[in-house]
Coordinates of all heavy atoms in Angstrom, one line a residue:
M3 N 51.8 27.4 137.1 CA 51.7 28.9 136.6 C 52.1 29.0 135.1 O 53.0 28.5 134.7 CB 52.5 29.8 137.5 CG 52.3 31.2 137.1 SD 53.4 32.4 138.1 CE 54.9 31.7 138.1
V4 N 51.2 29.8 134.5 CA 51.6 30.0 133.1 C 51.7 31.6 133.0 O 50.7 32.4 133.1 CB 50.4 29.7 132.2 CG1 50.6 30.1 130.7 CG2 50.1 28.2 132.4
P5 N 52.9 32.1 132.7 CA 53.1 33.5 132.5 C 52.8 34.1 131.2 O 52.9 33.3 130.2 CB 54.6 33.7 132.8 CG 55.2 32.5 132.4 CD 54.2 31.4 132.6
L6 N 52.2 35.2 131.1 CA 51.8 35.7 129.8 C 52.5 37.1 129.9 O 52.2 38.0 130.6 CB 50.1 35.9 129.6 CG 49.8 36.7 128.5 CD1 50.0 35.9 127.3 CD2 48.3 36.9 128.6
I7 N 53.4 37.3 128.9 CA 54.2 38.6 128.8 C 53.6 39.3 127.7 O 54.0 39.1 126.4 CB 55.7 38.3 128.7 CG1 56.2 37.5 129.9 CG2 56.4 39.7 128.6 CD1 57.6 37.1 129.8
S8 N 52.6 40.2 127.9 CA 51.9 40.9 126.9 C 51.0 41.8 127.6 O 50.6 41.7 128.8 CB 51.1 40.0 125.9 OG 50.5 40.7 125.1
A9 N 50.7 43.0 126.9 CA 49.6 43.9 127.3 C 48.6 44.0 126.2 O 47.9 45.0 126.2 CB 50.3 45.2 127.6
D10 N 48.6 43.0 125.4 CA 47.7 43.0 124.3 C 46.2 42.4 124.7 O 46.1 41.2 125.0 CB 48.2 42.1 123.1 CG 47.4 42.2 121.9 OD1 46.2 42.8 121.9 OD2 48.0 41.7 120.8
S11 N 45.3 43.3 124.8 CA 44.0 43.0 125.2 C 43.2 41.9 124.3 O 42.3 41.3 124.5 CB 43.1 44.1 125.5 OG 42.9 44.8 124.3
D12 N 43.8 41.8 123.0 CA 43.3 40.9 122.0 C 43.5 39.5 122.5 O 42.8 38.5 122.1 CB 44.0 40.9 120.8 CG 43.6 42.1 120.0 OD1 42.6 42.9 120.4 OD2 44.2 42.5 118.9
L13 N 44.3 39.2 123.6 CA 44.5 37.8 124.1 C 43.5 37.5 125.1 O 43.4 36.4 125.7 CB 45.9 37.8 124.8 CG 47.0 37.9 123.9 CD1 48.4 38.0 124.6 CD2 47.2 36.7 123.0
T14 N 42.6 38.5 125.5 CA 41.6 38.2 126.6 C 40.8 37.0 126.2 O 40.6 36.1 127.2 CB 40.7 39.5 126.7 OG1 41.6 40.6 127.1 CG2 39.7 39.3 127.8
P15 N 40.2 36.8 125.1 CA 39.4 35.7 124.7 C 40.1 34.3 125.0 O 39.7 33.4 125.5 CB 38.9 35.8 123.3 CG 39.0 37.2 123.1 CD 40.2 37.7 123.9
A16 N 41.5 34.3 124.6 CA 42.3 33.1 124.7 C 42.5 32.8 126.3 O 42.5 31.7 126.7 CB 43.6 33.3 124.1
V17 N 42.7 33.8 127.1 CA 42.8 33.6 128.4 C 41.6 33.1 129.0 O 41.6 32.2 129.9 CB 43.3 35.0 129.1 CG1 43.4 34.8 130.6 CG2 44.7 35.4 128.6
R18 N 40.5 33.7 128.6 CA 39.3 33.2 129.2 C 39.0 31.7 128.8 O 38.5 31.0 129.7 CB 38.1 34.0 128.7 CG 37.9 35.4 129.4 CD 36.6 36.0 129.1 NE 36.5 37.3 129.7 CZ 36.6 38.4 129.2 NH1 36.6 38.5 127.8 NH2 36.5 39.6 129.8
T19 N 39.3 31.3 127.6 CA 39.2 29.9 127.2 C 40.1 29.0 127.9 O 39.7 28.0 128.3 CB 39.4 29.9 125.6 OG1 38.5 30.8 124.9 CG2 39.3 28.5 125.1
A20 N 41.4 29.5 128.1 CA 42.3 28.6 128.8 C 41.8 28.4 130.4 O 41.9 27.2 130.7 CB 43.7 29.2 128.8
K21 N 41.3 29.4 130.9 CA 40.8 29.3 132.3 C 39.6 28.5 132.4 O 39.4 27.7 133.3 CB 40.6 30.7 132.8 CG 41.8 31.5 133.1 CD 41.5 32.9 133.6 CE 41.5 32.9 135.0 NZ 41.3 34.2 135.7
S22 N 38.8 28.4 131.3 CA 37.5 27.6 131.3 C 37.9 26.1 131.1 O 37.3 25.2 131.7 CB 36.5 28.0 130.3 OG 36.9 27.8 129.0
L23 N 38.9 25.9 130.1 CA 39.4 24.5 129.9 C 40.2 23.8 131.0 O 40.2 22.7 131.2 CB 40.1 24.5 128.6 CG 39.3 24.9 127.4 CD1 40.2 24.9 126.1 CD2 38.2 23.7 127.1
A24 N 41.0 24.7 131.7 CA 41.8 24.2 132.8 C 41.6 25.2 133.9 O 42.5 25.9 134.3 CB 43.2 24.1 132.3
P25 N 40.5 24.9 134.7 CA 40.2 26.0 135.8 C 41.3 26.1 136.9 O 41.5 27.2 137.5 CB 38.9 25.4 136.4 CG 38.3 24.5 135.4 CD 39.5 23.9 134.5
G26 N 42.1 25.0 137.1 CA 43.1 25.1 138.2 C 44.4 25.9 137.6 O 45.2 26.1 138.5
T27 N 44.5 26.1 136.4 CA 45.6 26.8 135.9 C 45.8 28.3 136.3 O 44.8 29.0 136.3 CB 45.7 26.8 134.3 OG1 45.6 25.5 134.0 CG2 46.9 27.4 133.8
H28 N 46.9 28.6 136.9 CA 47.0 30.0 137.3 C 47.9 30.8 136.2 O 48.9 30.4 135.8 CB 48.0 30.0 138.6 CG 48.3 31.4 139.1 ND1 47.3 32.1 139.8 CD2 49.4 32.1 139.1 CE1 47.9 33.3 140.1 NE2 49.1 33.3 139.7
I29 N 47.2 31.8 135.6 CA 47.7 32.6 134.6 C 48.1 33.9 135.1 O 47.1 34.6 135.8 CB 46.9 32.6 133.3 CG1 46.5 31.2 132.9 CG2 47.5 33.4 132.3 CD1 45.3 31.1 131.8
M30 N 49.2 34.5 135.0 CA 49.5 35.7 135.3 C 50.1 36.6 134.2 O 50.7 36.1 133.3 CB 50.5 35.8 136.5 CG 51.8 35.4 136.2 SD 53.0 35.2 137.5 CE 52.4 36.1 138.8
A31 N 49.8 37.9 134.3 CA 50.4 38.8 133.2 C 51.5 39.6 133.7 O 51.6 40.1 134.8 CB 49.2 39.8 132.7
A32 N 52.6 39.6 132.8 CA 53.7 40.4 133.1 C 53.7 41.5 131.9 O 53.9 41.2 130.8 CB 55.0 39.6 133.0
F33 N 53.5 42.8 132.3 CA 53.5 43.8 131.3 C 54.8 44.5 131.0 O 55.5 44.8 131.8 CB 52.5 44.9 131.9 CG 51.1 44.3 132.1 CD1 50.5 44.4 133.3 CD2 50.3 43.9 131.1 CE1 49.2 44.0 133.6 CE2 49.0 43.6 131.3 CZ 48.5 43.5 132.5
P34 N 55.1 44.4 129.8 CA 56.4 45.1 129.2 C 56.4 46.6 129.6 O 55.2 47.1 129.8 CB 56.4 44.9 127.7 CG 55.5 43.7 127.6 CD 54.5 43.8 128.7
P35 N 57.5 47.3 129.7 CA 57.6 48.7 129.8 C 56.7 49.5 128.9 O 56.5 49.2 127.8 CB 59.1 49.0 129.6 CG 59.8 47.7 129.7 CD 58.8 46.7 129.2
K36 N 55.9 50.4 129.6 CA 55.0 51.4 129.0 C 53.9 50.7 128.3 O 53.2 51.1 127.3 CB 55.9 52.3 128.0 CG 56.8 53.1 128.6 CD 57.4 54.0 127.6 CE 58.5 54.8 128.1 NZ 59.1 55.7 127.2
R37 N 53.5 49.4 128.6 CA 52.4 48.7 128.2 C 51.5 48.2 129.3 O 52.1 47.8 130.3 CB 52.9 47.4 127.3 CG 54.0 47.7 126.3 CD 53.1 48.2 125.1 NE 54.0 48.3 123.9 CZ 53.7 48.5 122.8 NH1 52.4 48.8 122.5 NH2 54.5 48.6 121.8
F38 N 50.2 48.3 129.2 CA 49.3 47.9 130.2 C 48.0 47.6 129.6 O 47.6 48.3 128.6 CB 49.2 49.0 131.3 CG 48.4 48.6 132.5 CD1 49.0 47.9 133.4 CD2 47.1 49.0 132.5 CE1 48.1 47.4 134.6 CE2 46.3 48.7 133.7 CZ 46.9 47.9 134.6
S39 N 47.2 46.7 130.2 CA 45.8 46.3 129.8 C 45.0 46.2 131.0 O 45.2 45.2 131.7 CB 45.8 45.1 128.8 OG 44.5 44.7 128.7
N40 N 44.1 47.2 131.2 CA 43.1 47.0 132.4 C 42.3 45.7 132.2 O 42.0 45.0 133.1 CB 42.2 48.2 132.4 CG 42.8 49.4 133.1 OD1 43.5 49.2 134.2 ND2 42.5 50.6 132.6
E41 N 42.0 45.4 131.0 CA 41.2 44.2 130.7 C 41.8 42.8 131.2 O 41.4 42.0 131.8 CB 40.8 44.1 129.2 CG 39.7 43.1 128.9 CD 39.2 43.3 127.5 OE1 39.7 44.1 126.7 OE2 38.2 42.5 127.2
L42 N 43.2 42.9 130.8 CA 44.0 41.7 131.2 C 44.2 41.7 132.7 O 44.2 40.6 133.3 CB 45.3 41.6 130.5 CG 45.2 41.2 129.0 CD1 46.7 41.2 128.4 CD2 44.7 39.7 128.9
K43 N 44.5 42.8 133.3 CA 44.7 43.0 134.7 C 43.5 42.5 135.6 O 43.6 41.8 136.5 CB 45.2 44.4 135.1 CG 45.5 44.4 136.6 CD 46.1 45.7 137.0 CE 46.4 46.0 138.5 NZ 47.1 44.8 139.0
T44 N 42.3 42.8 135.0 CA 41.1 42.5 135.7 C 40.9 41.0 135.6 O 40.5 40.2 136.6 CB 39.9 43.1 135.0 OG1 40.0 44.5 135.2 CG2 38.6 42.7 135.6
L45 N 41.3 40.4 134.5 CA 41.0 39.0 134.2 C 42.1 38.1 135.1 O 41.9 37.0 135.4 CB 41.3 38.6 132.8 CG 40.9 37.3 132.1 CD1 39.5 36.9 132.6 CD2 41.1 37.2 130.7
M46 N 43.4 38.7 135.2 CA 44.5 38.0 135.9 C 45.0 39.0 137.0 O 45.9 39.8 136.7 CB 45.5 37.8 135.0 CG 45.2 36.8 133.9 SD 46.4 36.6 132.7 CE 46.4 38.0 131.7
P47 N 44.3 38.9 138.2 CA 44.7 39.9 139.3 C 46.2 39.7 139.7 O 46.8 40.7 140.2 CB 43.8 39.4 140.5 CG 42.7 38.7 139.8 CD 43.3 38.1 138.5
A48 N 46.9 38.5 139.4 CA 48.2 38.3 139.8 C 49.0 38.9 138.5 O 49.5 38.1 137.7 CB 48.6 36.9 140.0
S49 N 49.2 40.2 138.4 CA 49.9 40.7 137.3 C 50.9 41.8 137.8 O 50.8 42.2 138.9 CB 49.0 41.4 136.3 OG 48.3 42.5 136.9
F50 N 52.0 42.1 137.0 CA 53.0 42.9 137.4 C 53.7 43.5 136.2 O 53.8 43.0 135.1 CB 54.0 42.3 138.3 CG 54.7 41.0 137.7 CD1 55.8 41.3 137.1 CD2 54.2 39.9 137.7 CE1 56.5 40.2 136.4 CE2 54.7 38.8 137.1 CZ 56.0 38.9 136.5
P51 N 54.3 44.8 136.4 CA 55.0 45.4 135.2 C 56.5 44.8 135.3 O 57.0 44.5 136.3 CB 55.0 46.8 135.6 CG 55.0 46.8 137.1 CD 54.1 45.6 137.6
I52 N 57.1 44.7 134.1 CA 58.5 44.4 134.0 C 59.3 45.7 133.8 O 58.9 46.5 133.0 CB 58.7 43.6 132.7 CG1 57.9 42.2 132.8 CG2 60.2 43.3 132.5 CD1 58.0 41.4 131.5
G53 N 60.2 45.9 134.7 CA 60.9 47.2 134.7 C 61.8 47.2 133.4 O 62.2 46.2 132.8
R54 N 62.1 48.4 133.0 CA 62.9 48.7 131.8 C 64.2 47.9 131.9 O 64.7 47.4 130.9 CB 63.0 50.2 131.5 CG 63.7 50.5 130.3 CD 62.8 50.4 129.0 NE 63.5 50.7 127.9 CZ 63.5 50.0 126.7 NH1 62.6 49.0 126.6 NH2 64.1 50.3 125.7
A55 N 64.9 48.1 132.9 CA 66.2 47.4 133.0 C 66.3 46.0 132.8 O 67.0 45.3 132.2 CB 66.8 47.8 134.4
K56 N 65.2 45.2 133.4 CA 65.0 43.8 133.3 C 64.8 43.4 131.9 O 65.2 42.5 131.4 CB 63.9 43.3 134.3 CG 64.2 43.3 135.6 CD 65.1 42.2 136.1 CE 65.2 42.1 137.6 NZ 66.3 41.1 137.9
F57 N 63.8 44.2 131.3 CA 63.5 43.9 129.9 C 64.6 44.1 128.9 O 64.9 43.2 128.1 CB 62.3 44.9 129.5 CG 61.6 44.6 128.2 CD1 60.6 43.5 128.3 CD2 61.8 45.2 127.1 CE1 60.0 43.2 127.1 CE2 61.2 44.8 125.8 CZ 60.3 43.8 125.9
A58 N 65.5 45.2 129.1 CA 66.5 45.4 128.3 C 67.7 44.3 128.5 O 68.3 43.9 127.5 CB 67.1 46.9 128.6
G59 N 67.8 43.9 129.7 CA 68.7 42.9 130.0 C 68.5 41.6 129.4 O 69.3 40.7 129.3
A60 N 67.3 41.2 129.0 CA 66.8 40.0 128.4 C 66.9 40.1 126.9 O 66.5 39.1 126.3 CB 65.3 39.7 128.9
Q61 N 67.3 41.2 126.3 CA 67.3 41.2 124.9 C 68.6 40.6 124.3 O 69.7 40.6 124.9 CB 67.2 42.7 124.5 CG 66.0 43.4 124.9 CD 64.7 42.7 124.4 OE1 64.5 42.6 123.1 NE2 63.8 42.4 125.3
L62 N 68.5 40.2 123.1 CA 69.6 39.6 122.4 C 70.6 40.9 122.0 O 70.1 42.0 122.0 CB 69.3 39.0 121.1 CG 68.6 37.7 121.2 CD1 68.0 37.2 119.8 CD2 69.6 36.5 121.7
P63 N 71.8 40.6 121.7 CA 72.8 41.7 121.4 C 72.2 42.4 120.0 O 71.4 41.7 119.3 CB 74.0 41.1 121.2 CG 73.9 39.7 121.4 CD 72.5 39.4 121.8
D64 N 72.8 43.5 119.7 CA 72.4 44.2 118.4 C 72.7 43.2 117.2 O 72.0 43.4 116.1 CB 73.1 45.4 118.2 CG 72.6 46.5 119.2 OD1 71.5 46.4 119.8 OD2 73.4 47.5 119.4
E65 N 73.7 42.5 117.3 CA 74.0 41.7 116.2 C 74.4 40.2 116.7 O 75.0 40.0 117.8 CB 75.3 42.1 115.4 CG 75.0 43.3 114.4 CD 76.2 43.6 113.6 OE1 77.3 43.1 113.9 OE2 76.0 44.4 112.7
V66 N 73.9 39.2 116.0 CA 74.2 37.9 116.4 C 74.8 37.1 115.2 O 74.2 37.1 114.0 CB 72.8 37.1 116.8 CG1 73.1 35.6 117.2 CG2 72.3 37.7 118.0
T67 N 75.9 36.4 115.3 CA 76.5 35.7 114.3 C 76.4 34.2 114.4 O 76.7 33.7 115.5 CB 78.0 36.1 114.2 OG1 78.0 37.5 114.0 CG2 78.7 35.4 113.0
D68 N 75.9 33.5 113.4 CA 75.8 32.0 113.4 C 77.2 31.6 113.3 O 78.0 31.8 112.4 CB 75.0 31.6 112.1 CG 74.8 30.1 112.2 OD1 75.7 29.4 112.6 OD2 73.8 29.7 111.6
P69 N 77.6 30.7 114.4 CA 79.0 30.2 114.3 C 79.4 29.2 113.3 O 80.4 29.0 112.9 CB 79.1 29.7 115.7 CG 77.7 29.3 116.2 CD 76.9 30.3 115.6
V70 N 78.2 28.6 112.7 CA 78.5 27.6 111.7 C 78.7 28.2 110.4 O 79.5 28.0 109.5 CB 77.3 26.5 111.6 CG1 77.4 25.6 110.5 CG2 77.2 25.7 113.0
T71 N 77.7 29.2 110.0 CA 77.7 29.8 108.7 C 78.4 31.1 108.6 O 78.8 31.6 107.5 CB 76.2 30.0 108.2 OG1 75.6 31.0 109.0 CG2 75.5 28.7 108.2
G72 N 78.6 31.8 109.8 CA 79.3 33.1 109.8 C 78.2 34.2 109.4 O 78.6 35.4 109.5
H73 N 77.0 33.9 109.1 CA 76.0 34.8 108.8 C 75.6 35.7 110.0 O 75.3 35.1 111.1 CB 74.7 34.0 108.3 CG 73.6 34.9 107.9 ND1 73.6 35.8 106.7 CD2 72.4 35.3 108.5 CE1 72.6 36.4 106.7 NE2 71.7 36.1 107.7
T74 N 75.6 36.9 109.8 CA 75.2 37.9 110.9 C 73.9 38.5 110.6 O 73.6 38.9 109.6 CB 76.3 39.1 111.0 OG1 77.6 38.5 111.2 CG2 76.0 40.0 112.1
I75 N 73.1 38.5 111.7 CA 71.8 39.0 111.7 C 71.7 40.2 112.6 O 72.1 40.1 113.9 CB 70.7 38.0 112.0 CG1 70.7 36.8 111.3 CG2 69.3 38.6 112.2 CD1 70.0 35.6 111.6
G76 N 71.2 41.3 112.2 CA 71.2 42.6 113.1 C 69.7 42.8 113.5 O 68.7 42.5 112.9
R77 N 69.6 43.4 114.7 CA 68.4 43.8 115.3 C 67.7 44.9 114.4 O 68.5 45.9 114.0 CB 68.7 44.4 116.6 CG 67.4 44.8 117.3 CD 67.7 45.4 118.7 NE 68.4 44.4 119.5 CZ 68.7 44.6 120.8 NH1 68.4 45.7 121.3 NH2 69.2 43.6 121.4
P78 N 66.4 44.9 114.1 CA 65.8 45.9 113.4 C 66.0 47.3 114.1 O 66.0 47.4 115.3 CB 64.4 45.6 113.3 CG 64.4 44.1 113.5 CD 65.5 43.7 114.4
A79 N 66.2 48.4 113.4 CA 66.4 49.7 114.0 C 65.2 50.1 114.8 O 65.3 50.7 115.9 CB 66.5 50.7 112.9
K80 N 64.0 49.6 114.6 CA 62.8 50.0 115.4 C 62.7 49.3 116.7 O 62.0 49.8 117.5 CB 61.5 49.7 114.6 CG 61.2 48.4 114.3 CD 59.9 48.1 113.5 CE 59.5 46.7 113.3 NZ 58.3 46.5 112.6
W81 N 63.6 48.2 116.9 CA 63.6 47.7 118.2 C 64.6 48.3 119.2 O 64.6 47.9 120.3 CB 64.1 46.2 118.0 CG 63.1 45.3 117.3 CD1 62.0 45.7 116.9 CD2 63.3 43.9 117.2 NE1 61.3 44.5 116.3 CE2 62.1 43.6 116.5 CE3 64.2 43.0 117.6 CZ2 61.8 42.1 116.2 CZ3 64.0 41.6 117.3 CH2 62.8 41.3 116.5
T82 N 65.4 49.3 118.8 CA 66.3 49.9 119.8 C 65.7 51.0 120.5 O 64.6 51.5 120.2 CB 67.5 50.4 119.0 OG1 67.1 51.3 117.9 CG2 68.3 49.3 118.4

């Protein structure tokens, strides 16, 4: 199984190509919160939404510090 976590219908041609090159491959879409694509859902009937809590729980912390260099990288404000 190949999971696709996106609701971007621009991926439709790539999914069609993957399915034609490897017909036995099972591709399913996992739609992030507040995102959905009817085109992808039609192409991949085994699709499901990701709940907000699951999605939030999989995010990196607001800041990550490199233990070797001590350099801290912060999450962009638009991601919060």
